Amino acid sequence: MAELALPIRTERLVLRAYRPDDVEALLAYYSDPLVARYIPWEPWSREFADKVVTRRLVSTAITGPEARFAVVAEHAGKVVGDVILWPADDTLSRGELGWAFHPAVAGHGFATEAVRAVIGVAFAHYGMHRVIARVDGRNKASARLCERVGMIREAHLRRDEWAKGEWTDTLIYGLLKEEWPASTEQA
C-alpha cells in the first residue's frame, strides 16, 4: 500500500503529522480536567505530554495491528485538536477512532470536519470495512459528533467500564464503508 501523503487539507483545516513542538499546544487542552473527563487518562502533565507526542511522532500509518494513524488538526496555523485511527483487530479491516479538541473551538465544526476526513482515510486509503467509536455515555458532544458524521449508535453498554472512580456507560457507534458517501471521502 502506498504511503498516505500528509498533510490532508479540508475546507478549513490542515491535518498533519505530529511534530516535537506540538507538546505545548496539545498540553493546552489535554491538561484541562473537562477535556480529560471522558478520555482514558488523567489531565496531562508536561512529562506525559512529552511521552505521548514522542510516541505519536511515528504514528503516521497503519502498517500492522499495533500501528496508529494520528494527525494534528490545525486551523489558521494553530493546533485545535487531534484525531487518531487504529486497527480494531488483527485483520486491519476494522478501525477505531478517537479525538480531542480544544474547548475554545467547540461549536465551530472543526471536530466534525477532521473526523470526516479521517473516516475517509480509513475507507479510501486503508480499505477498512468498518469504523467504530467508543464514547463515554456522558459525553453528549462526542455522541452528537458521531451522529453528524453518519455513524449509527449500535450499542449502549450500561455501566460496563470503571473510569476515574465510577462505573460509566459506553456508547458504540459504527459506520460501514458502503454507508460512507463517496463524495465526502478524503484520501
Side-chain angles (χ1 to χ4, degrees):
M1 174 181 305
E3 189 162 325
L4 180 65
L6 290 176
I8 299 167
R9 297 183 188 283
T10 67
E11 184 180 336
R12 301 174 299 160
L13 300 173
V14 174
L15 303 178
R16 61 162 176 81
Y18 282 73
R19 297 187 311 232
D21 64 344
D22 288 330
V23 170
E24 291 302 323
L26 294 164
L27 191 57
Y29 58 96
Y30 275 110
S31 64
D32 183 334
L34 293 176
V35 172
R37 180 174 183 201
Y38 303 123
I39 60 176
W41 310 285
E42 294 300 323
W44 286 13
S45 65
R46 172 62 192 234
E47 180 182 350
F48 189 70
D50 285 333
K51 287 179 186 176
V52 172
V53 170
T54 298
R55 280 194 316 261
R56 291 184 183 171
L57 290 173
V58 297
S59 298
T60 57
I62 295 177
T63 56
E66 300 301 317
R68 305 285 184 260
F69 174 73
V71 289
V72 168
E74 281 186 349
H75 173 69
K78 295 194 185 303
V79 173
V80 295
D82 60 300
V83 183
I84 301 173
L85 172 69
W86 63 93
D89 63 21
D90 289 347
T91 70
L92 310 183
S93 66
R94 296 183 305 137
E96 186 167 346
L97 291 165
W99 55 80
F101 281 77
H102 197 295
V105 300
H108 290 88
F110 295 137
T112 301
E113 195 170 319
V115 169
R116 276 189 182 130
V118 174
I119 290 172
V121 167
F123 292 142
H125 184 75
Y126 290 114
M128 291 183 171
H129 158 72
R130 172 180 170 75
V131 174
I132 66 165
R134 296 175 195 271
V135 176
D136 184 305
R138 302 165 298 172
N139 190 343
K140 305 300 183 212
S142 281
R144 286 191 306 270
L145 171 58
C146 288
E147 292 165 5
R148 275 194 308 276
V149 300
M151 299 180 98
I152 305 299
R153 189 166 99 180
E154 298 177 338
H156 182 151
L157 307 174
R158 298 175 305 135
R159 295 191 204 167
D160 74 313
E161 188 167 333
W162 182 256
K164 300 179 181 171
E166 65 181 302
W167 286 105
T168 62
D169 293 1
T170 301
L171 305 177
I172 308 292
Y173 283 86
L175 184 65
L176 300 174
K177 184 175 184 174
E178 62 265 22
E179 297 169 332
W180 183 247
S183 63
T184 62
E185 287 184 1
Q186 311 242 346

